[in-house]
Every structure is written in structure tokens, then in C-alpha cells.
Amino acid sequence: MMKHLFLTFLFSLVVIVSTNAQEDYKHKDLKKHFENTEFYTVADLPQNANFKKKPKNIILLIGDGMGVVQVFSAITANKGKINMSQMPYVGFSQTQSADNYVTDSGAGGTALSTGQRTYNGAIGVDVNKQPIPTILELSEQNGLATGLVSTSSITHATPASFIAHIPDRNLYEDIAADFLKVEVDVFIGGGKDFFAKRKDERNLVDELKQKNYQVYNSLEESKDVESGLLAILTSDKHNEVYPNRGNMLPDATQKAITILQKNKKGFFLMVEGSMIDWGGHANNTGYIVQETLDFDRAIGKALKFAATNKETLVIVTADHETGGMTIEGGSMTEGKVDGNYTTGGHTAVMVPVFAYGAGADKFAGIYNNTEVFAKMKALFGF
Ligand code: MG
Ligand code: ZN
């Protein structure tokens, strides 16, 4: 019996140590009440613009852990309206993975990027750990420009699912090396250490430069760059939580659009609001709301471009919900939200899909997360 207990204790220690090393953002920090002080106005979007039936460009924005309640908490906190409120076609995505009713971001991201359900923890590989082509890779092969933007490390599960083929989401250095195998035109996020401080002593920043990438450490440093291959690694690992990282996400989204739109054949861009999920794991209402509003301001950049371009589709969705969040009280006039939570992990519920622009009508209804990929692929005509 004692031996059994001791082994259990040892095993728990190993689990705690390894979990902390890999997922250092999953600290519970229960804060139910949030009162917003930073409000923004939402520009009216044309709703009957003469959009093309098929998009030349697709901007897919993923709010990690962003369920309907997270969206409504942001609507409430901004006194009734956010950019997402203006996206006329709304659907629901069922997020179950191949091996779990409750998905993680690896399987969730891979379903969105490849159209296949896989096991939790997988990055761009199927249940047999075989690589599957992603919408970003198909876009490259078809002459489109491509981009990835995230607030987390760019090697984290969601952005990784669009460019890497790795059996385990925690292998950040392996994921970084996969960035050298695809000519993604623009990528902006954290994670410089996984490129430049590696166990194998490769320096992927130098290798990127040899491949004609312009590599920078901040958006400010890169402000004069308007074309060409561009990598901006804005922090050693993950970026800071909002507001400490400033307007990194909306600015990076705008930067990517500015460069990618120069490609005559069109572009595919994925933008992730990575830390809505982390606020959910923390059960912290302010954290969730501020990250969701920051993500929404990035969505505003994409919508503004789509409204004038008329050949662009903007899709906003999530990989899963986090926290089992609900709202028990609040004020639309004061921007107050009283959240509550049922778990420190992910939940199984459907997540919203919002669409605006060319081909947006295809995203109404209830469907599996894999359909988001299928619909994008069909609209691009691949
Ligand atoms: Mg993520
Ligand atoms: Zn999570």
C-alpha cells in the first residue's frame, strides 16, 4: 500500500513538473467580476456591398477558447457592440476530436487547417501520425501569398497546425524547423527562442535570412517593410498578456494584410487571439474579456479591408470553448460582466463561426469543425 502511494506521489510530481514546463499559462486565478474602462467605437460595415461569390482572399481569425459566452462578455464589456456583431452569417462548429469528446488546440487547429479529425496533441498529422496538407500549404501551392499571426509563440498549437506536421504539440523546436519547409510569406508572433536557442544548435533566424526573409523583433522595427518575405518574432516565448503587449495583435494583422494583398492571385491569412483560452483556464473574467476585445479589434482590421476589397472572406471562429464560462450578471450601459466557471479546462460545446464578405453565406448552419476547411478549400477552388 505504502509503495503504491509512494509511486502515485512520484507520478504526480512528474505530471506536475512536466505540465508546468509545457503549459505554464494554466494557472487558476478566479476573478468573476470585471468592469471595463477601455471602450472603442465600431465602424459601420456595408452589409449589401457587391461581394464576389468566390473570395480571392481568406482571412481566418481563431479565438482560442472563445465560445459564445466569451463573445457576449466582450459585447457587454464594450457596451453592446463589437466588430463581430457586424458579421451577418453565423454558424456553429462542433469541435470533438478523433479521440476525445473534448478537444485540445492541436486537434482543434488541425481540424480547421486540414479538414481531418485527429488525436488531441497532434499538429497537422492524422490519427496515424502521417502529415496532412493544410489550407496554408494548398494556398502556397496554388500561388497565393500566406501569413500567420498569433499572440502566443508562433510555434504554439494553433498557428503550428497550419504549417507544421509534428506528432506532439509540445515539440516547439521541431515545429519551428517546419517553418523553413513552407514559404509562408509573413509570420508574426512570439517564440524567438525556438528558432534561435535550440538543442540542435541550428540558428533558424539565420536560415530564414538565407531564404530572403526580413527578420525583426518588433513591428516598430519593421515599419518600413511593405513587401517581401517577413518574419517578426516579437518575444522570446509567448507575448505578454493584454494590455502589456499593447496593440500587437491588431497591428500585426494590419501589417500582414498590407503585405499579402500585393499578391495578384490572392492570399490566405490565419490570425489567432491565443490567450482568450488562457484567461479561460485561469477562470478570470477580465483576462478573457480584454483578450477577446483585443482579438475583436484585430477582426476590425480584417473587416475594414474586406468591406472595400469585396473579394475577401473574413471568418471568425474558435477551436473550442475554455472554462465552461457563463454570465450571471452585468451591465450593458456600464460595461460590467459577472462571469462564472464550471472547469479550469476545455469544454465540449459548439463554438460560433462568424462570416463576412465574399462567400460568407456558406458558413450558416451547424457543422463539424472540419467543414470550415472544406468550405474554404471549395471557395478557393482547390
Ligand atoms: Mg492556440
Ligand atoms: Zn486551452
Side-chain angles (χ1 to χ4, degrees):
M1 186 62 189
M2 277 310 286
K3 190 180 167 199
H4 176 75
L5 276 178
F6 181 69
L7 281 175
T8 307
F9 171 74
L10 264 188
F11 180 73
S12 312
L13 262 187
V14 168
V15 168
I16 289 165
V17 167
S18 64
T19 310
N20 280 347
Q22 290 154 2
E23 309 281 13
D24 55 359
Y25 50 84
K26 288 183 179 173
H27 293 303
K28 208 152 186 174
D29 181 24
L30 178 64
K31 289 194 177 70
K32 294 183 179 181
H33 182 72
F34 178 66
E35 182 169 351
N36 194 22
T37 53
E38 192 190 3
F39 306 101
Y40 57 95
T41 52
V42 173
D44 280 332
L45 282 182
Q47 292 293 339
N48 297 312
N50 193 18
F51 294 114
K52 294 270 167 62
K53 284 206 171 64
K54 292 204 166 184
K56 193 171 96 174
N57 315 307
I58 296 180
I59 306 173
L60 172 66
L61 300 108
I62 301 175
D64 197 315
M66 188 184 75
V68 170
V69 179
Q70 282 79 358
V71 175
F72 191 64
S73 71
I75 289 173
T76 303
N78 202 42
K79 297 185 176 174
K81 193 175 181 187
I82 59 177
N83 289 302
M84 276 181 265
S85 308
Q86 300 206 82
M87 301 182 75
Y89 294 96
V90 182
F92 288 99
S93 161
Q94 300 182 166
T95 66
Q96 283 59 49
S97 72
D99 71 343
N100 208 308
Y101 185 62
V102 179
T103 191
D104 83 315
S105 293
T110 301
L112 295 167
S113 69
T114 71
Q116 287 194 42
R117 283 191 163 164
T118 186
Y119 59 93
N120 283 8
I123 299 295
V125 296
D126 65 16
V127 288
N128 300 312
K129 303 190 175 177
Q130 296 304 305
I132 333 168
T134 72
I135 190 73
L136 183 144
E137 290 166 319
L138 293 173
S139 299
E140 276 294 327
Q141 285 160 22
N142 284 277
L144 275 65
T146 59
L148 290 174
V149 171
S150 68
T151 51
S152 66
S153 168
I154 199 72
T155 59
H156 206 240
T158 311
S161 298
F162 285 79
I163 196 165
H165 304 282
I166 300 292
D168 175 356
R169 61 177 286 175
N170 297 305
L171 302 174
Y172 291 141
E173 294 183 7
D174 294 351
I175 290 166
D178 273 7
F179 277 73
L180 276 294
K181 296 177 184 166
V182 181
E183 199 171 87
V184 56
D185 293 80
V186 178
F187 62 95
I188 308 171
K192 197 166 90 181
D193 281 358
F194 308 117
F195 288 80
K197 283 188 186 167
R198 300 166 54 84
K199 285 191 209 82
D200 65 6
E201 294 185 358
R202 277 174 73 185
N203 187 327
L204 302 186
V205 169
D206 289 344
E207 292 184 33
L208 284 166
K209 287 176 181 168
Q210 282 155 21
K211 286 188 73 180
N212 291 323
Y213 278 87
Q214 306 161 87
V215 185
Y216 295 96
N217 296 317
S218 71
L219 285 153
E220 174 61 23
E221 277 179 15
S222 73
K223 67 180 190 302
D224 296 328
V225 179
E226 290 189 341
S227 62
L229 300 174
L230 175 64
I232 311 179
L233 295 165
T234 50
S235 63
D236 291 339
K237 292 194 168 68
H238 302 304
N239 289 295
E240 289 192 73
V241 168
Y242 190 85
N244 297 341
R245 66 170 179 274
N247 288 321
M248 178 262 164
L249 186 63
D251 289 351
T253 303
Q254 185 58 60
K255 184 80 183 178
I257 293 170
T258 300
I259 292 176
L260 297 176
Q261 66 165 310
K262 296 195 167 142
N263 188 48
K264 289 197 176 69
K265 281 187 143 179
F267 68 82
F268 172 79
L269 170 64
M270 194 290 297
V271 175
E272 187 199 21
S274 318
M275 300 179 189
I276 300 166
D277 172 68
W278 305 4
H281 284 293
N283 288 179
N284 182 322
T285 304
Y287 191 163
I288 291 169
V289 168
Q290 288 180 295
E291 286 293 337
T292 306
L293 291 175
D294 177 62
F295 179 56
D296 185 69
R297 288 188 289 268
I299 293 166
K301 303 286 187 189
L303 292 176
K304 190 179 174 204
F305 174 72
T308 51
N309 173 273
K310 297 192 173 63
E311 294 182 287
T312 299
L313 168 64
V314 180
I315 308 162
V316 177
T317 189
D319 47 358
H320 54 74
E321 194 274 346
T322 306
M325 186 184 188
T326 192
I327 302 175
E328 298 177 328
S331 165
M332 266 308 169
T333 52
E334 295 166 288
K336 291 180 183 170
V337 182
D338 290 303
N340 209 346
Y341 303 88
T342 58
T343 175
H346 300 169
T347 67
V349 297
M350 299 190 291
V351 292
V353 184
F354 304 99
Y356 175 85
D361 56 319
K362 302 284 186 292
F363 290 83
I366 296 178
Y367 40 84
N368 288 342
N369 52 5
T370 52
E371 285 298 303
V372 175
F373 166 87
K375 291 172 194 292
M376 291 192 294
K377 185 168 175 277
L379 285 166
F380 266 151
F382 298 160

